[in-house]
Amino acid sequence: KIKIMSKISKFNEFINNDELLIYQLIEDAESVPFSDLEAIANRAQYKKVVDIGERAVPLLLKRNLIIWSKALSEITGITLDTTVYSTSERKEFWKNWATENGFWY
């Protein structure tokens, strides 16, 4: 437990409290015993991250882009039709979008 707290305090040195709260919501939303993306997207924690809006985007871009693709679409207004774009194409789209819009990827 002491090692974990030490790592958390080191981590906290690099981010502010808002980012820490967003990061915790993201972690909570991802911590599920199933891989159904629709079920994950319907979780309260996931919806809270979406409600945060643009402030969550930099953190979401560093996570599993397939899990967060729907959230990124809701926040940015960009819709990627899953019947047109494959999983790898959606991941690549968000990486390119992040670069083009000044987010470090």
Side-chain angles (χ1 to χ4, degrees), residues 32-50:
V32 293
F34 47 85
S35 60
D36 179 353
L37 295 177
E38 195 61 37
I40 293 170
N42 286 322
R43 297 186 75 224
Q45 297 92 329
Y46 192 98
K47 291 177 181 182
K48 286 180 184 178
V49 173
V50 172

Side-chain angles (χ1 to χ4, degrees), residues 23-86:
Y23 183 80
Q24 186 60 52
L25 278 173
I26 291 168
E27 287 281 317
D28 290 347
E30 291 176 348
S31 299
V32 293
F34 47 85
S35 60
D36 179 353
L37 295 177
E38 195 61 37
I40 293 170
N42 286 322
R43 297 186 75 224
Q45 297 92 329
Y46 192 98
K47 291 177 181 182
K48 286 180 184 178
V49 173
V50 172
D51 289 344
I52 290 169
E54 290 183 13
R55 291 183 304 146
V57 169
L59 295 173
L60 295 179
L61 290 168
K62 296 175 186 174
R63 306 301 291 192
N64 181 329
L65 291 174
I66 295 308
I67 291 175
W68 293 103
S69 183
K70 183 174 181 175
L72 289 166
S73 290
E74 289 181 42
I75 293 168
T76 64
I78 299 168
T79 303
L80 300 176
D81 186 342
T82 58
T83 62
V84 175
Y85 294 94
S86 69

Side-chain angles (χ1 to χ4, degrees), residues 5-17 20:
M5 295 304 290
S6 175
K7 287 181 181 181
I8 290 172
S9 63
K10 292 255 185 233
F11 180 73
N12 289 346
E13 292 174 12
F14 299 103
I15 62 173
N16 64 39
N17 285 339
L20 185 58

